[in-house]
Amino acid sequence: EVAALNPPPTWESATVGSTDFVDGKMEIAPSSQEYKDVSSYFQLALYSQKKNVTITKIERVQNLPLWQTYAVKRQTTKMRYEGEPQHAINNSDRDGIERRWLFHGTAEDVAEKIQRQGFNRSFAGRNAVAYGRGAYFARDAAYSCNKTYSVPDADGIQRIFMCRVMVGDWCLGQYGQLTPSPKPHNQLELFDSTVDNVTNPSIFVVYHDAQAYPEYLVSFRHTGED
């Protein structure tokens, strides 16, 4: 379906009614519903860290080629499990094969690369490969706001991407693995992602660059102790 490739309705066009979308990061007005939705989700996922974090800016990432690459991957994955639901072993929740949102902490220079190029797996190992050598995403912003992952810039500002991620069907990750494990019924069919805990995952690792889209970049200041 062509409609499946359309970007979210919040995207800004170059002119009113146009499908020529502005490319880049668009700062969201704090008074908007979009800002309230994104900031509320972010703050909820901070848990007890919420009191120590002040959001300074939220930007929407508009990168149409990157979005469409993700949208194609999303569509093909959804169709695969709709056609063969029995192939879903550890994640049988059809609505849960796409996660919106998962968190990815980053440094200022890498944030610019991700916004333009997406999540390049060649960056893997920058912080950890405990559950595989892919791109890492956390269920909890409290995890990603650790200064190891969202590295403060010279002004003390940290950055976390809120991402749409096609997690699909997952398996337990192994240290340094290059791909997800094969499924037991077919050694040629791999799981879509790896996780830290199969029954209640909080860390997701994906191995195809098209499996994640950096939808929002949240800039914040950490005012308290880690």
Side-chain angles (χ1 to χ4, degrees):
E1 294 179 14
V2 175
L5 301 182
N6 291 340
T10 49
W11 278 33
E12 293 175 37
S13 302
T15 55
V16 177
S18 158
T19 54
D20 182 15
F21 295 101
V22 179
D23 185 69
K25 294 197 300 284
M26 313 294 295
E27 186 168 352
I28 303 170
S31 59
S32 69
Q33 187 59 47
E34 182 182 12
Y35 185 100
K36 290 170 186 169
D37 292 343
V38 174
S39 61
S40 294
Y41 194 96
F42 181 77
Q43 288 170 329
L44 278 172
L46 285 169
Y47 302 107
S48 62
Q49 300 253 16
K50 179 180 175 180
K51 63 183 183 297
N52 298 328
V53 168
T54 302
I55 295 174
T56 58
K57 182 168 57 175
I58 298 177
E59 295 164 292
R60 183 193 323 110
V61 176
Q62 298 192 179
N63 181 328
L64 191 59
L66 201 62
W67 169 263
Q68 291 184 332
T69 302
Y70 171 74
V72 168
K73 182 70 175 173
R74 177 176 63 177
Q75 190 72 354
T76 55
T77 306
K78 282 185 173 180
M79 287 171 66
R80 175 156 44 93
Y81 287 115
E82 284 170 4
E84 299 176 317
Q86 72 278 12
H87 285 207
I89 295 170
N90 294 321
N91 181 19
S92 56
D93 176 9
R94 256 190 233 174
D95 294 330
I97 64 172
E98 180 188 26
R99 291 293 175 105
R100 185 195 187 201
W101 291 291
L102 296 178
F103 301 95
H104 182 92
T106 189
E108 184 179 17
D109 59 328
V110 181
E112 198 62 33
K113 292 175 185 171
I114 290 172
Q115 175 221 323
R116 296 176 184 279
Q117 304 165 20
F119 293 97
N120 189 325
R121 281 164 297 140
S122 67
F123 298 154
R126 186 181 176 98
N127 290 311
V129 292
Y131 305 108
R133 195 171 287 276
Y136 277 63
F137 300 90
R139 178 192 64 197
D140 306 325
Y143 180 92
S144 299
C145 77
N146 185 301
K147 292 175 184 177
T148 301
Y149 308 119
S150 47
V151 182
D153 64 16
D155 298 318
I157 301 297
Q158 295 173 253
R159 292 164 180 82
I160 288 178
F161 280 107
M162 291 176 60
C163 311
R164 294 186 188 230
V165 185
M166 277 307 298
V167 296
D169 191 20
W170 56 71
C171 64
L172 185 65
Q174 305 293 331
Y175 182 87
Q177 70 186 96
L178 298 176
T179 65
S181 304
K183 294 196 172 182
H185 63 269
N186 180 356
Q187 291 296 297
L188 297 178
E189 183 182 351
L190 303 182
F191 284 92
D192 302 292
S193 59
T194 57
V195 296
D196 62 329
N197 182 311
V198 170
T199 54
N200 184 26
S202 64
I203 302 294
F204 297 84
V205 187
V206 300
Y207 297 80
H208 289 279
D209 300 342
Q211 273 180 270
Y213 182 80
E215 191 164 16
Y216 293 99
L217 180 61
V218 181
S219 299
F220 62 97
R221 197 180 293 279
H222 212 137
T223 54
E225 294 299 315
D226 287 339

